[in-house]
Amino acid sequence: MSSTVQKAITTDKKLFHLEQLAEKTPLNSFFCPIAEYSEYLLHEALRSQRDNMALTWLFRERTTGNIAAYMSLIADAIKLSATEKELHSLDYPFKTIPAMKIAKLAVSVPFQEKYKGIGTLMIEMAAHIATACNNQYFACRFITVDADIEHNEGVIEFYRKNGFIPNVEINNKRSKTISMRKDIVVQG
Ligand SMILES: CC(C)(COP(=O)(O)OP(=O)(O)OC[C@H]1O[C@@H](n2cnc3c(N)ncnc32)[C@H](O)[C@@H]1OP(=O)(O)O)[C@@H](O)C(=O)NCCC(=O)NCCS
């Protein structure tokens, strides 16, 4: 990370817009040193979108068209233990709860160096999308993520700061990732 002072993305939010990946969108401006994230955007995201396997959203700078960040969203369902369900006041007899997963999320390095908070903003935008689904199309109670600790050990902290908690019921079986969830219903 560069030593230059980062601006809060909230200051310059209007210089960017969120759009869906399209056939002709130029993708070369995106740079993440973790090859998996660059390769996915360049070579897999469009195919996955065509096959209804993942829908990719780009956060693009209006003036240059450069990609500051992207996220790929998919439908999900998670199994919660009785204790976990209780935590969210989910008094239902079944274990499987509907969710929307952030299957991929990455911020391009030049933008990460310039701004603080793009990752957080992407999660807020994912929450808006999930709320829109809840209001109009289908129900999803949680946003989920498989936090990629293999490539980014500190990423759990990033998700914790954004309201995610680990899924105890699922995590025993995983190692390179930690399954986490964020409740998008604000308890009143
Ligand atoms: C993880 C990632 C999306 C975070 O995006 P970002 O724009 O840097 O995050 P934000 O600026 O919104 O950070 C929010 C908070 O999380 C913290 N944070 C972010 N990444 C962190 C990390 N790796 N370790 C510890 N804390 C981290 C920030 O310091 C900040 O804390 P603060 O609010 O107390 O200042 C970005 O670093 C990235 O694209 N990484 C490479 C790909 C990746 O790992 N994706 C996630 C896979 S599941």
Side-chain angles (χ1 to χ4, degrees):
M1 180 83 42
S2 112
S3 57
T4 52
V5 177
Q6 291 169 294
K7 281 197 267 184
I9 185 63
T10 41
T11 326
D12 287 357
K13 215 166 151 181
K14 291 199 174 117
L15 301 180
F16 295 85
H17 71 288
L18 190 70
E19 67 180 43
Q20 277 180 30
L21 173 66
E23 295 280 340
K24 289 189 177 152
T25 315
L27 301 171
N28 289 332
S29 63
F30 181 84
F31 173 66
C32 176
I34 307 171
E36 189 179 312
Y37 292 88
S38 296
E39 296 287 311
Y40 175 81
L41 182 62
L42 284 174
H43 306 299
E44 286 293 326
L46 203 52
R47 181 171 82 96
S48 300
Q49 193 159 287
R50 282 194 216 107
D51 291 341
N52 287 348
M53 296 296 284
L55 197 148
T56 295
W57 292 90
L58 308 171
F59 190 56
R60 291 179 87 194
E61 193 174 40
R62 288 182 197 273
T63 49
T64 61
N66 288 345
I67 297 168
Y70 79 89
M71 62 183 168
S72 295
L73 304 180
I74 63 175
D76 195 17
I78 47 168
K79 283 194 168 35
L80 296 185
S81 67
T83 316
E84 287 178 305
K85 283 193 292 180
E86 212 173 298
L87 195 65
H88 301 279
S89 308
L90 288 169
D91 184 14
Y92 291 87
F94 41 83
K95 277 184 133 183
T96 307
I97 313 292
M100 182 192 83
K101 181 183 249 184
I102 300 177
K104 283 267 188 293
L105 166 64
V107 180
S108 187
V109 166
F111 287 93
Q112 224 177 105
E113 288 174 349
K114 187 167 177 191
Y115 293 103
K116 188 178 154 50
I118 296 184
T120 297
L121 187 60
M122 294 300 282
I123 286 174
E124 280 171 24
M125 292 188 285
H128 282 298
I129 291 169
T131 302
C133 285
N134 275 307
N135 289 340
Q136 288 189 62
Y137 301 112
F138 58 85
C140 55
R141 176 66 190 237
F142 296 105
I143 299 180
T144 55
V145 68
D146 289 336
D148 179 2
I149 50 169
E150 185 191 11
H151 292 111
N152 187 348
E153 229 176 289
V155 79
I156 290 191
E157 199 45 36
F158 164 73
Y159 285 114
R160 273 192 204 282
K161 284 182 172 166
N162 282 291
F164 287 77
I165 55 174
N167 292 320
V168 177
E169 180 79 359
I170 300 170
N171 274 327
N172 305 332
K173 300 162 201 155
R174 307 266 171 106
S175 56
K176 293 179 180 172
T177 59
I178 303 280
S179 171
M180 300 180 87
R181 69 179 181 279
K182 176 185 172 75
D183 194 341
I184 53 173
V185 173
V186 179
Q187 304 284 341

